[in-house]
Amino acid sequence: MQMYDIICKKKTNKELSTEEINWLVKEFTAGNISDAQMTAFLMAVYFNSMTERETLDLTLAMEHSGDVLDLSSIDKITVDKHSTGGVGDKTTLFIAPTVASLGVKVPKMSGRGLGHTGGTIDKLESIEGFNTSLSFDEFSDVVKSVGCAVVGQTGKLTPADKKIYALRDVTATVDSIPLIASSIMSKKLATGNSCILLDVKCGSGAFMKDKESAKALADTMVKIGNNAGRNCAALITDMTKPLGRAIGNSLEVIEAAEALKGKEKGEFFDLCIELSANMLSLAGKGTPEECAVMAKEAVESGKAFNKFKEMISAQGGSPEVVEDYKLFKQPKFIHEVYADKSGIVTCNDCEAIGLVSLSLGAGRTVKDAPIDHSAGVYLDKLCGERVEKGEKIATLYSSIDCDMAKIGERFSSVYQITDTNLV
Ligand code: URA
């Protein structure tokens, strides 16, 4: 087989065979295909897309390029949730313990933040001692005894995706639906869960900026999951504004803890209940409506919050931090943002708010760079809320040497106040 012929075939919009796709993934992972040829292929996919069969083949080839986890010793049914990423998305911290408290196992592998989006692993690491690098046996033991565990991905899963994603990142070929879907689903399939709920974010803070592309991505991923023998479903959820009030690592753990205690009721809580309900439903616990009632009861009874504390303890952290938030590393600098007029709070650019949090130290622009767990943005006023001149709309936190006033100005240019007469 020749890579040249495969590139020509995709360039002229012909369908590749399963053998050709398996070959190119295997040879590229082994270092036998140059980045130049792989880039030409990826660009041809970008312009000509892939059929459903090709996309499934690409996913399966990437899934089997490294280790594939066998979770059957944990339980026959295990459930995962994947979010396509956004600003202030701390839902995993809520849904993992809530679903586990209702008897469904959640062995969860999550990522770190990069660019304007945060990562669950960074959030959990704001809890001193919390170990996100458990061995597979330790991970299985925690899931078996507690019901849920959240760890980072092992280095041996989907090496093909790692290499291809790195190339896509620098060749402007990330935003292709078959490439995104196969990249995400190869990792989800390799982690071995029998049920997968996808939370496809849509809006200015997400990969998918409009409803049509979010729906196309969701449909493609659900088809891959179901064709690969998993029980898979997707929700399309809003990312035109940050999710909840907190953006930044320890701030988000605190907000999730408040929601698990039943103290924080709003859009973030509602989304967490919807996601938990759909995960429970995929695992066969009832209709999403019945499961939503169960999830709310788990919060009201304290079961979900207790499960969160059990998970923190089992992974080496001290559960007292979610009782006494002063035990988190405290920020050195605080900058408050006040309304310069009365009106309605409006978010013009959700991604830009993620970038504000990043420049306060909460995120990273380079993979594996250190971050400031205490940094971030707290939205005292949410989008759509009325604010009077002089009221506080947000608080910025940081422990790094940065120009807080200037960052505050940048924040105000995207988190604006719209004149009520114009609304
Ligand atoms: N996240 C992934 O894992 N892969 C993509 O291609 C895009 C987002």
Side-chain angles (χ1 to χ4, degrees):
M1 237 175 259
Q2 296 290 329
M3 188 60 182
Y4 183 90
D5 299 333
I6 292 178
I7 297 167
C8 281
K9 222 169 153 182
K10 201 26 61 196
K11 185 181 78 173
T12 50
N13 210 7
K14 298 197 180 77
E15 193 176 18
L16 299 177
S17 68
T18 304
E19 291 69 35
E20 284 167 326
I21 291 173
N22 286 343
W23 180 85
L24 86 89
V25 170
K26 186 163 163 265
E27 295 301 320
F28 182 65
T29 311
N32 300 330
I33 292 173
S34 70
D35 283 359
Q37 283 195 310
M38 194 61 177
T39 301
F41 171 75
L42 293 169
M43 197 55 90
V45 171
Y46 177 88
F47 283 112
N48 288 330
S49 195
M50 280 185 141
T51 63
E52 193 178 317
R53 204 220 79 241
E54 284 178 306
T55 311
L56 177 63
D57 285 342
L58 179 62
T59 312
L60 298 179
M62 293 202 292
E63 176 200 352
H64 292 285
S65 66
D67 290 350
V68 172
L69 301 185
D70 178 3
L71 303 179
S72 58
S73 71
I74 293 177
D75 210 334
K76 218 167 86 200
I77 294 174
T78 60
V79 60
D80 193 2
K81 185 253 350 167
H82 177 81
S83 157
T84 56
V87 180
D89 185 354
K90 72 285 292 175
T91 54
T92 294
L93 307 178
F94 183 105
I95 55 98
T98 301
V99 171
S101 77
L102 291 160
V104 173
K105 299 276 192 292
V106 187
K108 180 107 189 68
M109 293 211 170
S110 290
R112 293 189 184 278
L114 189 64
H116 77 282
T117 64
T120 303
I121 292 304
D122 294 324
K123 294 169 203 195
L124 284 167
E125 285 180 355
S126 67
I127 300 171
E128 208 183 310
F130 194 101
N131 185 358
T132 60
S133 314
L134 302 179
S135 68
F136 180 70
D137 288 345
E138 290 167 334
F139 175 56
S140 303
D141 286 348
V142 175
V143 180
K144 278 184 210 158
S145 61
V146 176
C148 56
V150 183
V151 293
Q153 265 163 25
T154 77
K156 295 188 199 117
L157 289 187
T158 60
D161 174 63
K162 274 197 193 85
K163 274 192 87 174
I164 295 172
Y165 191 84
L167 196 57
R168 286 167 58 210
D169 208 16
V170 293
T171 56
T173 48
V174 168
D175 53 341
S176 148
I177 285 179
L179 295 180
I180 297 176
S182 56
S183 164
I184 292 174
M185 291 307 289
S186 65
K187 292 183 284 251
K188 291 289 111 184
L189 298 181
T191 44
N193 285 289
S194 62
C195 306
I196 305 163
L197 179 70
L198 300 159
D199 179 11
V200 179
K201 299 283 179 204
C202 175
S204 62
F207 258 116
M208 298 292 128
K209 307 287 180 206
D210 59 79
K211 276 251 162 70
E212 291 68 41
S213 46
K215 177 147 183 7
L217 179 62
D219 287 346
T220 306
M221 291 198 293
V222 169
K223 273 188 199 142
I224 293 171
N226 290 338
N227 286 332
R230 312 298 166 91
N231 202 5
C232 192
L235 300 177
I236 295 173
T237 67
D238 181 49
M239 195 37 76
T240 55
K241 57 185 186 306
L243 182 58
R245 293 182 185 277
I247 306 138
N249 300 293
S250 58
L251 293 172
E252 293 191 39
V253 176
I254 294 169
E255 186 172 29
E258 289 290 283
L260 281 166
K261 289 175 191 171
K263 290 187 186 165
E264 180 74 52
K265 298 265 167 76
E267 276 180 41
F268 167 60
F269 180 81
D270 292 344
L271 176 61
C272 286
I273 294 294
E274 196 185 355
L275 291 169
S276 305
N278 278 276
M279 289 169 77
L280 290 160
S281 183
L282 279 177
K285 288 284 180 184
T287 63
E289 293 73 24
E290 288 161 350
C291 292
V293 174
M294 289 161 54
K296 280 186 194 152
E297 277 169 6
V299 173
E300 271 148 37
S301 65
K303 254 168 47 176
F305 181 61
N306 285 338
K307 192 56 77 183
F308 187 42
K309 289 198 292 183
E310 263 182 68
M311 183 183 86
I312 294 174
S313 184
Q315 292 196 234
S318 160
E320 279 100 72
V321 283
V322 289
E323 302 281 9
D324 178 2
Y325 303 135
K326 284 194 226 72
L327 296 174
F328 279 104
K329 181 189 161 203
Q330 295 299 303
K332 282 196 195 136
F333 310 109
I334 296 178
H335 177 87
E336 296 178 334
V337 180
Y338 291 92
D340 57 2
K341 62 178 175 182
S342 301
I344 303 291
V345 177
T346 320
C347 175
N348 289 347
D349 184 346
C350 181
E351 180 173 343
I353 295 178
L355 292 172
V356 163
S357 175
L358 181 136
S359 50
L360 291 165
R364 55 173 76 78
T365 48
V366 180
K367 208 168 161 278
D368 298 330
I371 55 171
D372 173 5
H373 288 109
S374 71
V377 179
Y378 187 83
L379 304 171
D380 296 276
K381 292 282 176 187
L382 290 173
C383 280
E385 275 182 356
R386 183 166 173 87
V387 63
E388 301 305 326
K389 185 176 174 177
E391 267 189 287
K392 185 154 66 137
I393 37 177
T395 315
L396 313 185
Y397 299 96
S398 183
S399 295
I400 63 165
D401 188 17
C402 59
D403 189 340
M404 299 279 274
K406 201 155 185 190
I407 296 172
E409 277 167 30
R410 244 175 54 219
F411 174 81
S412 299
S413 71
V414 288
Y415 206 66
Q416 292 178 335
I417 297 162
T418 310
D419 215 318
T420 30
N421 296 330
L422 302 174
V423 177

